[in-house]
Amino acid sequence: MKTNKILQFLVLSLLLFWVAEIFYLSWLPNGDLGKETHFPLWLLDWSNTYFNLRTAIPFMALSFLLQAWYWRTSSSWRRKIKLPFWLINCCIGTVIVCIAEGGQFFIRNRHPDIMDVTFGILGSILGCVLYYLFDSFIQLIFIKK
């Protein structure tokens, strides 16, 4: 039981860090990530080539972490939610990508892009799918029934 609480705290901490990172990257004064030193050079080159696709990648990870956090919470809390969590997860991703893109209205040299919103939502959906595939794989390998 104690291990589950620690794992839940770690996933939640990583989730909050990831949301902060999404906002940080979305609100840089320049959309070019070439000056960011905490990423490898090959990743910076790739992200500057595929502008819209680079939006989907962080939202895949965000969605994956949201699913992981949800399954680490108490089952009594999960029973209270009537909607499937993948739908809630995608709505959370949509809200975050809209806030991130909307914030670009207030930054000089930046402008919001509807394709970034679309790719963020698609990344959230793909993150949910990847979590379910990963979870199924782990159960198949480690929890043999």
Side-chain angles (χ1 to χ4, degrees), residues 115-127:
M115 287 306 292
D116 279 344
V117 173
T118 304
F119 274 87
I121 293 168
L122 291 174
S124 291
I125 293 168
L126 187 58

Side-chain angles (χ1 to χ4, degrees), residues 64-136:
F64 190 92
L65 289 170
L66 274 170
Q67 288 294 138
W69 172 79
Y70 174 73
W71 288 109
R72 297 294 175 249
T73 58
S74 68
S75 61
S76 64
W77 183 81
R78 284 195 312 244
R79 278 188 242 123
K80 292 178 184 177
I81 298 177
K82 301 298 180 195
L83 293 172
F85 192 74
W86 65 266
L87 182 62
I88 296 170
N89 188 340
C90 291
C91 289
I92 290 170
T94 301
V95 168
I96 291 173
V97 75
C98 287
I99 291 171
E101 288 297 310
Q104 291 180 6
F105 276 119
F106 306 104
I107 301 171
R108 182 182 293 195
N109 300 328
R110 295 296 300 264
H111 60 280
D113 184 7
I114 193 67
M115 287 306 292
D116 279 344
V117 173
T118 304
F119 274 87
I121 293 168
L122 291 174
S124 291
I125 293 168
L126 187 58
C128 288
V129 170
L130 289 175
Y131 179 81
Y132 286 119
L133 289 174
F134 177 76
D135 188 53
S136 298

